[in-house]
Amino acid sequence: MYVVKSPLSEADLKTVSEALQGALVDLVDLSLVAKQIHWNVVGPRFRSVHLQLDEVVDTARLHSDTVAERASTLGVPPDGRAATVAGSSGIGSAPEGWIKDTEAVATLVSALGAVIARMRERIAATGDADPVSQDVFIGITADLEKHHWMFQAENGGERLGG
């Protein structure tokens, strides 16, 4: 059943809808992982990491809404249910309990890296199929790469000095 008819061909719509659904799952999970760590981070850099995590949560939530609405625009119902996210996210799980600030940063570097790699695949996959959706993925990736850089810089001094 189509409530909204897509301007894309069936083949292009399949490619784009898979990319959008995958991005939605990754972004919802990224927001959950970042918020879980936000609540449990401890250590000398607690405050700066705590605040930085909220920035990632805000970015992921903003972009998840954009992705879901893009899917709806194309006639594809987005699926951000917990079971769907848990079953298909490309991000590892957040550690349980308190998490030292350096481990929190390393976990976010890894999570962001995983999402960025998958976003770049989506950029490549959607270029011919739907440049509008590709543009959405490019903007998301740019924002996530900025967070990735900033979290890498958080722990970078330890690697340089040690």
Side-chain angles (χ1 to χ4, degrees), residues 63-133:
H63 286 309
S64 65
D65 192 54
T66 300
V67 165
E69 289 181 358
R70 179 70 188 151
S72 293
T73 298
L74 295 175
V76 178
D79 187 354
R81 296 173 299 162
T84 302
V85 172
S88 56
S89 174
I91 303 173
S93 62
E96 186 177 333
W98 303 119
I99 181 169
K100 187 165 173 25
D101 53 6
T102 53
E103 185 184 344
V105 169
T107 301
L108 253 290
V109 167
S110 176
L112 285 162
V115 175
I116 289 165
R118 289 166 55 116
M119 286 297 176
R120 287 189 162 274
E121 291 171 4
R122 294 173 184 121
I123 290 169
T126 57
D128 290 334
D130 182 23
V132 176
S133 293

Side-chain angles (χ1 to χ4, degrees), residues 1-148:
M1 171 178 105
Y2 287 104
V3 174
V4 176
K5 177 69 175 126
S6 173
L8 302 178
S9 71
E10 285 296 319
D12 287 347
L13 184 60
K14 181 179 184 325
T15 298
V16 174
S17 65
E18 288 172 0
L20 289 166
Q21 180 58 40
L24 177 61
V25 163
D26 283 350
L27 290 165
V28 169
D29 199 25
L30 179 62
S31 73
L32 294 172
V33 166
K35 197 50 129 168
Q36 179 66 27
I37 295 169
H38 165 89
W39 293 323
N40 290 287
V41 66
V42 295
R45 294 181 296 162
F46 162 80
R47 182 163 172 73
S48 65
V49 172
H50 182 80
L51 295 172
Q52 195 173 357
L53 286 161
D54 262 345
E55 293 173 6
V56 172
V57 171
D58 291 345
T59 296
R61 287 179 178 168
L62 174 71
H63 286 309
S64 65
D65 192 54
T66 300
V67 165
E69 289 181 358
R70 179 70 188 151
S72 293
T73 298
L74 295 175
V76 178
D79 187 354
R81 296 173 299 162
T84 302
V85 172
S88 56
S89 174
I91 303 173
S93 62
E96 186 177 333
W98 303 119
I99 181 169
K100 187 165 173 25
D101 53 6
T102 53
E103 185 184 344
V105 169
T107 301
L108 253 290
V109 167
S110 176
L112 285 162
V115 175
I116 289 165
R118 289 166 55 116
M119 286 297 176
R120 287 189 162 274
E121 291 171 4
R122 294 173 184 121
I123 290 169
T126 57
D128 290 334
D130 182 23
V132 176
S133 293
Q134 182 191 46
D135 187 56
V136 169
F137 294 132
I138 289 168
I140 292 168
T141 303
D143 286 350
L144 295 177
E145 286 179 345
K146 184 174 181 182
H147 287 298
H148 193 236

